[in-house]
Amino acid sequence: QVLAVESGGGSVQSGGSLRLSCSYTRRSYCMVWFRQAPGKEREGVASIKDDSSTTYLDSVKGRFTISQDTPKNIVYLQMNSLTPADTAMYFCAAASTYHCRQDLRSWYGWGQGTQVTVSS
């Protein structure tokens, strides 16, 4: 079973950057970063498959970059030009479906998450 541990969150001002890390126990077909803000639905932010292909939520394209270090079992999310709208708890999960970033029902193995807070 895949178990993930997220880290790297924090509080930054608008325009700032953070790099999140996800350490997982076993690689899956797809790894997804998703977020959830209070009172809002979960949304897949970025995904990376075992062939290194990536997808992004439209609102983060050009600002966020997902990458992986497969030998170390780590997935990263580099977040630049952060805005208050990016404030949320961020989680890393495994998935096994083709449209993994959008398919919330396929996500599994996420951890406690890491909080990202962006102030204006």
Side-chain angles (χ1 to χ4, degrees), residues 8-94:
S11 296
V12 296
Q13 291 191 326
S14 187
S17 298
L18 286 171
R19 188 175 82 156
L20 306 184
S21 297
C22 168
S23 177
Y24 54 88
T25 54
R26 190 174 70 178
R27 185 70 169 85
S28 181
Y29 166 64
C30 178
M31 299 298 293
V32 178
W33 279 102
F34 70 91
R35 66 188 180 188
Q36 187 164 27
K40 294 188 177 181
E41 298 290 323
R42 293 174 181 174
E43 57 180 0
V45 174
S47 67
I48 187 164
K49 293 180 178 173
D50 53 10
D51 64 357
S52 296
S53 60
T54 60
T55 70
Y56 295 93
L57 184 68
D58 282 347
S59 62
V60 308
K61 284 181 180 177
R63 300 188 299 122
F64 290 12
T65 303
I66 189 170
S67 61
Q68 59 189 352
D69 185 335
T70 302
K72 294 184 178 179
N73 283 8
I74 299 176
V75 175
Y76 300 101
L77 185 66
Q78 177 67 43
M79 306 187 296
N80 299 327
S81 302
L82 286 161
T83 74
D86 296 314
T87 294
M89 186 72 81
Y90 284 71
F91 301 84
C92 172

Side-chain angles (χ1 to χ4, degrees), residues 1-6 24 92-94 107-111:
Q1 184 175 356
V2 176
L3 295 174
V5 177
E6 304 90 347
Y24 54 88
C92 172
W107 301 343
Y108 62 96
W110 60 87

